[in-house]
Amino acid sequence: MSNTQTEQTTQVGTPNLGRTGNFIQENRKSLLVIGGTIVGLILLFFAYQKFYLAPREGEAVDQMYKAQQYWEAKEWDKAIKGDGNFPGFEKIIADYANTKSANLAYYYLGIAYLNKGEYQKAADNLVNYSGSDAVIAPLALGSAGDAYTELKQYDDAINYYKKAVSKGNNEFAAPIYLKKLGLVYEEQKDFKSALDAYNKIKSEYPQSQVASNIDMYIARAEGKQESK
C-alpha cells in the first residue's frame, strides 16, 4: 500500500468530531452529572407540587371558606382577622403561602381594607394578587388604583388604572377604569389625557353603561383645557 493510500485510509477511518464533539468527549462525565441534576430537579418540582402544595391547597380551601362568607356579608374585621375558630385572610396568606388560595386571599384582603378606609394596606395587598382571569385580575388592578387615588398617589393610580383597562378589555371593566383614569388626569390638571380617556370610552365602548353620560365629562374636560 502506498503512503498516499495509507493517509487516505487514516483520514477516512478517523471521525472529525469538530470543536463541539471534542468538548462533549472531553467533558462527558461533567455533562452527565449536569443532566442528572436537571432531571433530579424536575422530579423534585413535581414531587413538591403533588405531595406538598396539593394537600396544602385543599387544606387552605377548607380553612378559607368562612372568611369568604364574612367578606360577602361585609363583616370586614372577621374576614381579615378570623373569628377565633376559623382564620381570616391574613392568616391564610401567612400559613398557606404559594398556594392559589393565598393568592386569592390577597384580593379579598385588599378589598376588605379598601372598604375599611385603610388604603395603604388595601394597595399593598391588591398589588400582591397575581392572576390572568378576566374578572378578578382587572378588579384587583382597578381597586389598587382606587386605593392609590385615595392616598393621592396619582402616578401609581394612573399606572394601575391603565393595567386594569389592558387586563379587562371588555364592555364592563375597561370603561369604568378609563373613566377613573380620566378623573385622576383631571385632578392632575392634565386635561388632554383626560379627554383621551373619555373619548376612548365613547369611540371603543359606546354601548357601555359608562358611555351613556360620557359627553358631559368630555365637555367639562374640554372647557377646562380651553381655560388653561
Side-chain angles (χ1 to χ4, degrees), residues 68-113:
Q68 289 173 307
Q69 289 181 346
Y70 285 130
W71 188 88
E72 289 167 2
K74 299 183 180 181
E75 295 188 48
W76 307 121
D77 289 330
K78 288 181 179 179
I80 293 168
K81 298 292 185 182
D83 61 5
N85 295 313
F86 288 91
F89 293 119
E90 284 186 337
K91 190 164 178 58
I92 293 294
I93 291 170
D95 290 353
Y96 299 99
N98 301 323
T99 63
K100 293 178 182 178
S101 294
N103 180 49
L104 186 57
Y106 279 119
Y107 168 74
Y108 282 119
L109 190 56
I111 297 297
Y113 276 125

Coordinates of all heavy atoms in Angstrom, one line a residue, residues 68-113:
Q68 N -64.5 33.9 53.5 CA -65.2 34.3 52.3 C -66.7 34.7 52.7 O -67.2 35.7 52.1 CB -65.1 33.3 51.3 CG -63.8 33.1 50.7 CD -63.7 31.9 49.7 OE1 -64.0 30.8 50.1 NE2 -63.2 32.1 48.5
Q69 N -67.3 33.9 53.6 CA -68.6 34.2 54.0 C -68.7 35.6 54.7 O -69.6 36.3 54.5 CB -69.2 33.1 54.9 CG -69.4 31.8 54.1 CD -70.0 30.7 55.0 OE1 -69.9 30.8 56.3 NE2 -70.5 29.7 54.5
Y70 N -67.8 35.8 55.6 CA -67.7 37.1 56.3 C -67.5 38.2 55.3 O -68.1 39.3 55.4 CB -66.6 37.1 57.4 CG -66.9 36.3 58.6 CD1 -66.0 35.3 59.1 CD2 -68.1 36.5 59.3 CE1 -66.3 34.6 60.2 CE2 -68.5 35.7 60.4 CZ -67.5 34.8 60.9 OH -67.8 34.0 62.0
W71 N -66.7 38.0 54.3 CA -66.4 39.0 53.3 C -67.6 39.4 52.5 O -67.9 40.5 52.3 CB -65.3 38.5 52.4 CG -64.7 39.5 51.4 CD1 -63.7 40.3 51.6 CD2 -65.2 39.7 50.0 NE1 -63.4 41.1 50.5 CE2 -64.3 40.7 49.5 CE3 -66.2 39.1 49.3 CZ2 -64.5 41.1 48.2 CZ3 -66.3 39.6 48.0 CH2 -65.5 40.6 47.4
E72 N -68.4 38.3 52.1 CA -69.6 38.6 51.4 C -70.7 39.3 52.2 O -71.5 40.0 51.7 CB -70.1 37.2 50.8 CG -69.3 36.6 49.7 CD -69.6 35.2 49.4 OE1 -70.6 34.7 50.1 OE2 -68.9 34.6 48.6
A73 N -70.6 39.0 53.5 CA -71.5 39.7 54.4 C -71.0 41.1 54.8 O -71.7 41.8 55.6 CB -71.8 38.9 55.7
K74 N -69.9 41.5 54.3 CA -69.2 42.8 54.6 C -68.8 42.9 56.1 O -68.8 44.0 56.6 CB -70.1 43.9 54.2 CG -70.4 43.9 52.7 CD -71.2 45.1 52.2 CE -71.5 45.1 50.7 NZ -72.2 46.3 50.2
E75 N -68.6 41.8 56.7 CA -68.0 41.8 58.1 C -66.5 41.8 57.9 O -65.8 40.8 58.1 CB -68.5 40.6 58.9 CG -70.0 40.6 59.1 CD -70.5 39.5 60.1 OE1 -69.9 39.3 61.1 OE2 -71.5 38.8 59.7
W76 N -66.0 43.0 57.7 CA -64.6 43.1 57.2 C -63.6 42.6 58.3 O -62.6 42.0 57.9 CB -64.3 44.5 56.8 CG -65.3 45.1 55.8 CD1 -66.1 46.2 55.9 CD2 -65.6 44.5 54.5 NE1 -66.8 46.4 54.8 CE2 -66.5 45.4 53.9 CE3 -65.1 43.4 53.8 CZ2 -67.0 45.2 52.6 CZ3 -65.6 43.2 52.5 CH2 -66.6 44.1 51.9
D77 N -63.8 43.0 59.5 CA -62.9 42.6 60.6 C -62.7 41.1 60.7 O -61.6 40.6 60.9 CB -63.2 43.2 61.9 CG -63.0 44.8 61.9 OD1 -62.1 45.2 61.2 OD2 -63.8 45.5 62.6
K78 N -63.8 40.4 60.7 CA -63.8 38.9 60.8 C -63.2 38.3 59.5 O -62.5 37.3 59.6 CB -65.2 38.4 61.1 CG -65.7 38.7 62.5 CD -67.0 38.0 62.7 CE -67.5 38.3 64.2 NZ -68.9 37.7 64.4
A79 N -63.5 38.9 58.4 CA -62.9 38.4 57.2 C -61.4 38.6 57.2 O -60.6 37.7 56.7 CB -63.4 39.2 56.0
I80 N -60.9 39.7 57.8 CA -59.5 39.9 57.9 C -58.8 39.1 58.9 O -57.8 38.4 58.7 CB -59.2 41.4 58.1 CG1 -59.7 42.3 56.9 CG2 -57.7 41.7 58.4 CD1 -59.7 43.8 57.2
K81 N -59.3 39.1 60.1 CA -58.7 38.5 61.3 C -59.2 37.1 61.7 O -58.5 36.4 62.5 CB -58.8 39.4 62.5 CG -58.2 40.8 62.3 CD -56.7 40.7 62.2 CE -56.0 42.1 62.2 NZ -54.6 42.1 62.1
G82 N -60.4 36.7 61.2 CA -60.9 35.5 61.6 C -61.9 35.7 62.8 O -62.0 36.8 63.3
D83 N -62.5 34.6 63.2 CA -63.4 34.6 64.3 C -63.1 33.8 65.6 O -63.9 33.6 66.5 CB -64.8 34.2 63.8 CG -64.8 32.7 63.4 OD1 -63.8 32.0 63.5 OD2 -65.8 32.3 62.8
G84 N -61.8 33.4 65.6 CA -61.4 32.6 66.7 C -61.4 31.1 66.4 O -60.7 30.3 67.0
N85 N -62.3 30.7 65.6 CA -62.5 29.3 65.2 C -61.9 29.1 63.8 O -61.3 28.0 63.5 CB -63.9 28.8 65.2 CG -64.5 28.8 66.6 OD1 -63.9 28.3 67.6 ND2 -65.7 29.4 66.8
F86 N -62.1 30.0 62.9 CA -61.7 29.9 61.5 C -60.7 31.1 61.3 O -61.0 32.2 61.7 CB -62.8 29.9 60.5 CG -63.6 28.6 60.5 CD1 -64.7 28.5 61.3 CD2 -63.2 27.6 59.7 CE1 -65.4 27.3 61.4 CE2 -63.9 26.4 59.7 CZ -65.0 26.3 60.5
P87 N -59.7 30.9 60.5 CA -58.8 32.0 60.2 C -59.3 33.1 59.2 O -60.2 32.8 58.4 CB -57.6 31.3 59.6 CG -58.2 30.1 58.9 CD -59.3 29.7 59.8
G88 N -58.8 34.3 59.3 CA -59.1 35.3 58.4 C -58.1 35.2 57.2 O -57.2 34.4 57.2
F89 N -58.3 36.2 56.3 CA -57.4 36.1 55.1 C -56.0 36.4 55.4 O -55.1 35.9 54.8 CB -57.9 37.2 54.1 CG -59.3 36.8 53.5 CD1 -60.4 37.6 53.7 CD2 -59.4 35.6 52.8 CE1 -61.6 37.3 53.1 CE2 -60.6 35.3 52.2 CZ -61.7 36.1 52.4
E90 N -55.7 37.2 56.5 CA -54.3 37.4 56.8 C -53.6 36.1 57.2 O -52.5 35.9 56.8 CB -54.2 38.4 58.0 CG -54.5 39.9 57.6 CD -54.3 40.8 58.7 OE1 -54.3 40.5 59.9 OE2 -54.0 42.0 58.4
K91 N -54.3 35.3 58.0 CA -53.6 34.1 58.4 C -53.5 33.1 57.3 O -52.6 32.3 57.2 CB -54.4 33.5 59.6 CG -53.7 32.3 60.2 CD -54.2 32.0 61.6 CE -53.6 30.7 62.2 NZ -52.1 30.9 62.4
I92 N -54.5 33.1 56.4 CA -54.4 32.2 55.2 C -53.2 32.5 54.4 O -52.5 31.6 54.0 CB -55.7 32.4 54.3 CG1 -57.0 31.9 55.0 CG2 -55.5 31.7 53.0 CD1 -57.0 30.4 55.3
I93 N -52.9 33.8 54.2 CA -51.7 34.2 53.5 C -50.5 33.8 54.2 O -49.5 33.3 53.6 CB -51.7 35.7 53.2 CG1 -52.8 36.1 52.2 CG2 -50.4 36.2 52.7 CD1 -53.1 37.6 52.1
A94 N -50.5 34.0 55.5 CA -49.3 33.6 56.3 C -49.0 32.1 56.4 O -47.9 31.6 56.3 CB -49.4 34.2 57.7
D95 N -50.1 31.3 56.5 CA -50.0 29.9 56.7 C -49.9 29.1 55.4 O -49.4 27.9 55.4 CB -51.1 29.3 57.5 CG -51.1 29.8 59.0 OD1 -50.1 30.4 59.4 OD2 -52.0 29.6 59.7
Y96 N -50.4 29.6 54.3 CA -50.5 28.8 53.1 C -49.9 29.6 51.9 O -50.4 29.6 50.8 CB -52.0 28.5 52.8 CG -52.6 27.7 53.9 CD1 -53.4 28.3 54.8 CD2 -52.4 26.3 54.0 CE1 -54.0 27.5 55.9 CE2 -53.0 25.5 55.0 CZ -53.8 26.2 55.9 OH -54.3 25.4 56.9
A97 N -48.7 30.1 52.2 CA -48.0 30.9 51.1 C -47.8 30.0 49.9 O -47.6 28.7 50.0 CB -46.7 31.4 51.7
N98 N -47.8 30.6 48.7 CA -47.5 29.9 47.4 C -48.7 29.0 46.9 O -48.6 28.4 45.9 CB -46.3 29.0 47.5 CG -45.0 29.8 47.8 OD1 -44.9 30.9 47.4 ND2 -44.1 29.2 48.6
T99 N -49.8 29.1 47.7 CA -51.0 28.3 47.2 C -51.9 29.3 46.4 O -51.8 30.5 46.6 CB -51.8 27.7 48.3 OG1 -52.3 28.8 49.2 CG2 -50.9 26.8 49.1
K100 N -52.8 28.8 45.6 CA -53.8 29.6 44.9 C -54.7 30.3 45.8 O -55.1 31.4 45.6 CB -54.6 28.7 43.9 CG -53.7 28.1 42.8 CD -54.6 27.3 41.9 CE -53.8 26.6 40.7 NZ -54.6 25.7 39.9
S101 N -55.0 29.6 46.9 CA -55.9 30.2 47.9 C -55.3 31.5 48.6 O -55.9 32.5 48.8 CB -56.3 29.2 49.0 OG -57.0 28.2 48.5
A102 N -54.0 31.4 48.9 CA -53.3 32.5 49.5 C -53.2 33.7 48.5 O -53.4 34.9 48.8 CB -51.9 32.1 49.9
N103 N -53.0 33.4 47.2 CA -53.0 34.4 46.2 C -54.4 35.1 46.1 O -54.5 36.3 46.1 CB -52.7 33.8 44.8 CG -52.6 34.8 43.7 OD1 -52.0 35.9 43.8 ND2 -53.3 34.6 42.6
L104 N -55.4 34.3 46.1 CA -56.8 34.9 46.1 C -57.1 35.7 47.3 O -57.8 36.7 47.3 CB -57.8 33.8 45.9 CG -59.3 34.2 45.7 CD1 -59.4 35.1 44.5 CD2 -60.2 32.9 45.6
A105 N -56.5 35.2 48.5 CA -56.7 35.9 49.7 C -56.2 37.4 49.7 O -56.7 38.3 50.3 CB -56.1 35.2 50.9
Y106 N -55.1 37.6 48.9 CA -54.6 39.0 48.7 C -55.7 39.9 48.2 O -55.9 41.0 48.6 CB -53.4 39.0 47.8 CG -52.1 38.6 48.5 CD1 -51.4 37.5 48.0 CD2 -51.6 39.4 49.5 CE1 -50.2 37.2 48.6 CE2 -50.4 39.1 50.1 CZ -49.7 38.0 49.7 OH -48.5 37.6 50.2
Y107 N -56.5 39.4 47.2 CA -57.6 40.2 46.6 C -58.6 40.5 47.7 O -59.0 41.6 47.8 CB -58.2 39.4 45.4 CG -59.5 40.1 44.9 CD1 -59.5 41.3 44.2 CD2 -60.7 39.5 45.2 CE1 -60.7 41.9 43.8 CE2 -61.9 40.1 44.8 CZ -61.9 41.2 44.1 OH -63.0 41.8 43.7
Y108 N -59.1 39.4 48.3 CA -60.2 39.6 49.3 C -59.7 40.6 50.4 O -60.5 41.4 50.9 CB -60.5 38.2 50.0 CG -61.4 37.3 49.1 CD1 -61.0 36.1 48.7 CD2 -62.7 37.7 48.8 CE1 -61.8 35.2 48.0 CE2 -63.5 36.9 48.0 CZ -63.1 35.7 47.6 OH -63.9 34.8 46.9
L109 N -58.5 40.4 50.9 CA -58.0 41.2 51.9 C -57.8 42.7 51.5 O -58.2 43.6 52.3 CB -56.6 40.7 52.4 CG -56.0 41.2 53.6 CD1 -56.9 41.1 54.8 CD2 -54.6 40.5 53.9
G110 N -57.4 42.9 50.3 CA -57.2 44.2 49.8 C -58.6 44.9 49.7 O -58.7 46.1 50.1
I111 N -59.6 44.2 49.2 CA -60.9 44.8 49.1 C -61.5 45.1 50.5 O -62.2 46.2 50.7 CB -61.9 43.9 48.3 CG1 -61.4 43.7 46.9 CG2 -63.3 44.5 48.3 CD1 -61.4 45.0 46.1
A112 N -61.3 44.2 51.4 CA -61.7 44.4 52.8 C -61.1 45.7 53.4 O -61.8 46.6 54.0 CB -61.4 43.2 53.7
Y113 N -59.8 45.9 53.2 CA -59.1 47.1 53.8 C -59.6 48.3 53.0 O -59.7 49.4 53.6 CB -57.6 46.9 53.7 CG -57.0 46.2 54.8 CD1 -56.2 45.0 54.6 CD2 -57.2 46.6 56.1 CE1 -55.7 44.4 55.7 CE2 -56.7 45.9 57.2 CZ -55.9 44.8 57.0 OH -55.3 44.2 58.1

